[in-house]
Amino acid sequence: MRTVRTGGGLSLRLDLRVVGACLLLAVLALAAAVALIGSGDYPMTPAEVIATLTGGGDAGQTFIVQDLRLPRVLVGLLAGAAFGISGAAFQTVSRNPLGSPDVLGFAQGSSVGALVVIVFFQGGTVAVAGGSAVGAVVTGLAIFLLAWKRGIQGYRFVLVGIGASAMLYALVLYLLTKANIVEATRATTWMNGSLNGRDWDQVWPLAAVCAVLLPLLLCYGRPLRMLEMGDDAAYALGVRVDRVRVVVLLAAVLLVASGTAAAGPIAFVALTAPQLARRLTRAPGPNLLPAALMGATLLVAADWSAQRLFGADQLPVGVLTGVLGGGYLLWLMATERRAGRI
């Protein structure tokens, strides 16, 4: 830990391990992004990718990078960051490592919203994304209201979310039975979560939401760190607990909704990214920035791995993160059980 003094008598405490971890994750995310841009039916070396991004490629390389592959990578980076930081916010507010949007029903709520648009309105890509966002937001508000009882208690919040997840999953199955074969295929493809075919229409709305809400959540890092000590301690330190919870949860829900609308319900990134970031930094608190960078790195690296292992566009990235994240969830639950917390 190092204290840096600034003008005006202010001082800033920096954890050098956290700073180093953030720099490492940023470098890994950029490296994975360059590797992903260079992958596909027309492979490119990292040098060619960087030259094209800086304006030095030929016309064919420029078209492939800027029109076909760069939007996919940007959606992966932004959605991964949105999932990672929202997962850290949820886990901090609930004071439970299982308090993640993946577990609490937000993916199912998004799926219900998207399926309603697909099955009953035959909506296009933009309409499906809008339905997904609305479904996630409505789910978040419903869980928050059902869990509220003179405040939000961690395990009550998680239990309500798990119950909502089960009910929404049943609704997803019902909607699939109402769909014809074409609609059901389209819905199933969307629910797997994928970065395939993403273009600038998905990038700009997600970038706008992240530009507003990521800094907002980062500004709440100190109050969230105090919330981990308990409500009484936070109140004593001047934290307006209920206001912090409402603002943080609302921002996190909107980030999850926007990321899911752009990339589909990518499984378990929001669950694993905060936990891995905390193990890397070994620092207390929500670790919001490391969790965002870890989420971006995980999602882009998983998409690159899926292409390398199974070929371009053969395996949706949500399937790979689901397999890996499911194993991590089992390990986490076993660890929590041995520690006597569940």
Side-chain angles (χ1 to χ4, degrees), residues 98 275-276 279 324-338 342:
L98 298 178
Q275 296 296 315
L276 294 177
R279 283 165 172 76
L324 298 177
Y328 178 81
L329 176 61
L330 293 175
W331 175 84
L332 180 62
M333 292 182 68
T335 301
E336 292 293 300
R337 185 172 183 271
R338 286 197 299 269
I342 60 174

Side-chain angles (χ1 to χ4, degrees), residues 100 102-103 266-273 298 321-329:
S100 164
D102 304 305
V103 179
I266 306 292
F268 290 115
V269 173
L271 174 71
T272 58
L298 287 177
T321 61
V323 171
L324 298 177
Y328 178 81
L329 176 61

Side-chain angles (χ1 to χ4, degrees), residues 46-128:
E48 290 174 334
V49 171
I50 294 173
T52 303
L53 289 173
T54 55
D58 58 37
Q61 291 174 331
T62 301
F63 172 75
I64 290 172
V65 170
Q66 295 187 359
D67 293 342
L68 300 181
R69 296 180 182 174
L70 184 58
R72 173 186 187 137
V73 171
L74 290 177
V75 169
L77 290 172
L78 293 171
F83 291 147
I85 197 171
S86 62
F90 272 103
Q91 291 174 18
T92 301
V93 169
S94 65
R95 293 202 288 271
N96 191 318
L98 298 178
S100 164
D102 304 305
V103 179
L104 300 181
F106 290 90
Q108 289 78 6
S110 295
S111 297
V112 169
L115 280 173
V116 167
V117 173
I118 292 173
V119 174
F120 295 111
F121 301 101
Q122 293 76 46
T125 302
V126 176
V128 171

